[in-house]
Amino acid sequence: MGVPNSFYTGYQDAYNGNAYAGLLTYQCPLIEHEFIAVQLIQPLDSGIKYYVSCYISRSDNYVCAANNFGFRFFTNISFTTTNPAPIDNFSHIHFNNIITDSVNWMRMADSFIADSAYQFLVIGNFYDNVYSSVFDCDTAHVDGAYYLVDAVCVSLDSLTCYNWTGINEVSKKNFSLYPNPAYEKLYVKNLTYDVSYSIFNSMGAIARTGILTKQSNVINISSFENGLYLFSINNNYYNKFLIIH
């Protein structure tokens, strides 16, 4: 629809990068919600605690605002326009607060313990109009609440979802970064050209910067404290989470 200016969703810069998603989480008088679905990188483990978060902002093309934005996990999905995601007043995580801010990105974060080997995440409002609270909505006529969504995260580590300052992991490129977990030294090989790199700590602060060449590279990390880091090449061209111990 266009970022940051869209005829449909209004004006908003992305929280991170140059894109975001949008969905209708409330509509009246009919109960018609939109959902975003994605397959997880790997299935969740039953009985394990997971941290989930994203950033949302209300579209400034809509005055209406609603609550119950949430996350629901599925073992399999086959939703279509004739077989939509269920609006049955249940989700694994949902938020009761009504987000009215259309200027800033608001972090929505919580955790839950998986009770099955879920493989898919669906985002939206799974609660019908009776169980949804709204603000400044014309409930006597067709009206709705529309939200923008960015930086969605599901992780075993609370630091991954709660402390990264707008840095996402993207798909792997054709070079080697090892070992991971790392100890004392980090090796980078098979680059096609010289690149810059940065290593961020769990608070988003830069712990190390430098240049990598096309030849084999060795980065001394013996002075780093144990923990979770993010290795970034060419200003987020390639990001990878890194454990140092």
Side-chain angles (χ1 to χ4, degrees), residues 186-238:
L186 184 65
Y187 298 88
V188 185
K189 298 176 61 177
N190 302 327
L191 291 166
T192 56
Y193 50 86
D194 295 352
V195 297
S196 62
Y197 79 92
S198 299
I199 300 177
F200 297 84
N201 65 20
S202 62
M203 299 303 294
I206 295 177
R208 177 77 55 81
T209 61
I211 301 295
L212 300 171
T213 68
K214 290 187 292 184
Q215 289 74 33
S216 298
N217 299 267
V218 181
I219 303 173
N220 190 328
I221 54 173
S222 59
S223 62
F224 282 39
E225 295 182 357
N226 296 347
L228 183 69
Y229 292 78
L230 183 125
F231 185 88
S232 177
I233 281 182
N234 272 7
N235 193 26
N236 294 338
Y237 174 73
Y238 167 73

Side-chain angles (χ1 to χ4, degrees), residues 58-130:
R58 182 178 61 82
S59 165
D60 61 13
N61 271 10
Y62 289 74
V63 176
C64 177
N67 70 341
N68 284 333
F69 179 90
F71 305 89
R72 184 164 171 174
F73 294 86
F74 292 84
T75 55
N76 57 74
I77 58 174
S78 58
F79 302 135
T80 64
T81 54
T82 56
N83 178 39
I87 304 175
D88 54 3
N89 305 315
F90 169 79
S91 58
H92 291 96
I93 295 173
H94 78 282
F95 304 94
N96 289 320
N97 51 319
I98 300 175
I99 303 299
T100 60
D101 197 333
S102 62
V103 176
N104 302 296
W105 288 96
M106 308 295 293
R107 187 180 72 182
M108 316 297 285
D110 206 342
S111 62
F112 85 112
I113 297 176
D115 58 2
S116 188
Y118 296 116
Q119 299 187 61
F120 296 88
L121 169 64
V122 181
I123 300 170
N125 177 11
F126 296 88
Y127 293 77
D128 63 30
N129 292 1
V130 174

Side-chain angles (χ1 to χ4, degrees), residues 16-17 41 164-173 175 177 180 196-200 229-242:
N16 177 60
I41 294 174
W164 293 118
T165 55
I167 301 172
N168 284 349
E169 183 172 10
V170 296
S171 60
K172 186 173 182 179
K173 307 301 175 181
F175 61 88
L177 172 69
N180 190 8
S196 62
Y197 79 92
S198 299
I199 300 177
F200 297 84
Y229 292 78
L230 183 125
F231 185 88
S232 177
I233 281 182
N234 272 7
N235 193 26
N236 294 338
Y237 174 73
Y238 167 73
N239 296 331
K240 184 174 181 62
F241 290 121
L242 174 68

